[in-house]
Amino acid sequence: MQELYRTVTEVIDLRSFSNLWFWIALAVVWSTASHYVLGVPYDMITRARRDGGEAEEDLRDMVRVNVNRLLHIAESAGLWLLALACFALTTLAIVGFVYGIEFAQALFLLGFPLSIVFALSLRTARRIRAADGEGLHRVLVRHRLSVQAVGVVSIFVTAMWGMWQNMVIGPI
């Protein structure tokens, strides 16, 4: 049994900050979050701005659908989702930073900034609905820039914390 446990822990490394897969996942999460602005691919925004016409109509339709969907979820289950997210993030923070479980630290450092991005997305969706589509390109580009700013800060903090953990814990 001891040998099986040793083999499993060697194959599945839960030391997240020294694991290449964690850093690949971090990069994929933030590149995806900054590419899809309220669920709309950024290339669709640039094409609509450049070409207009049908591309502009497609953009407005897609933004309308995604804004309505996001706001419906927030209005119907928002309080429960907020409570669940707060519970999960608090649990990860306590388990990770009080009890020193590196895997929980890594999940918290992924999840907390994404919750900020979700709050920014809700704010942007409400702005778009209130403005009734006026200045849509500017609002979407500004939202993308704020998501990228959150991503840059998140990657920096995660990298600094990960390097600190790797220096304190040392090699495997």
Side-chain angles (χ1 to χ4, degrees):
M1 188 63 169
Q2 185 73 6
E3 187 64 32
L4 175 66
Y5 177 75
R6 187 176 312 127
T7 304
V8 168
T9 55
E10 285 176 10
V11 172
I12 303 172
D13 183 18
L14 293 180
R15 288 204 46 219
S16 301
F17 300 116
S18 62
N19 193 332
L20 178 64
W21 291 108
F22 171 74
W23 297 105
I24 292 172
L26 183 72
V28 167
V29 162
W30 285 111
S31 65
T32 303
S34 67
H35 180 69
Y36 289 96
V37 182
L38 292 179
V40 178
Y42 188 69
D43 61 290
M44 189 174 196
I45 298 169
T46 56
R47 190 170 14 124
R49 184 189 297 175
R50 183 184 62 233
D51 298 342
E54 187 177 341
E56 180 73 26
E57 289 178 34
D58 291 345
L59 173 69
R60 289 191 182 278
D61 289 341
M62 194 159 183
V63 168
R64 181 184 48 79
V65 167
N66 286 332
V67 162
N68 288 339
R69 181 179 156 271
L70 185 62
L71 292 177
H72 174 72
I73 290 170
E75 291 164 1
S76 63
L79 191 58
W80 285 103
L81 289 174
L82 178 65
L84 182 63
C86 288
F87 172 76
L89 289 172
T90 302
T91 302
L92 287 172
I94 291 172
V95 170
F97 297 105
V98 174
Y99 293 107
I101 306 298
E102 191 173 314
F103 188 66
Q105 292 171 1
L107 289 178
F108 178 81
L109 290 171
L110 275 171
F112 180 70
L114 287 176
S115 68
I116 294 171
V117 168
F118 185 72
L120 288 172
S121 297
L122 278 176
R123 186 185 74 173
T124 303
R126 287 189 178 110
R127 276 189 184 163
I128 289 172
R129 182 182 273 177
D132 199 31
E134 292 301 315
L136 182 62
H137 297 198
R138 183 178 47 80
V139 171
L140 292 174
V141 169
R142 185 175 291 157
H143 176 69
R144 181 176 191 235
L145 287 174
S146 33
V147 169
Q148 287 176 333
V150 171
V152 165
V153 171
S154 171
I155 290 170
F156 178 76
V157 169
T158 303
M160 292 297 111
W161 184 258
M163 284 189 285
W164 174 256
Q165 289 299 315
N166 288 335
M167 288 185 336
V168 168
I169 295 172
I172 297 175

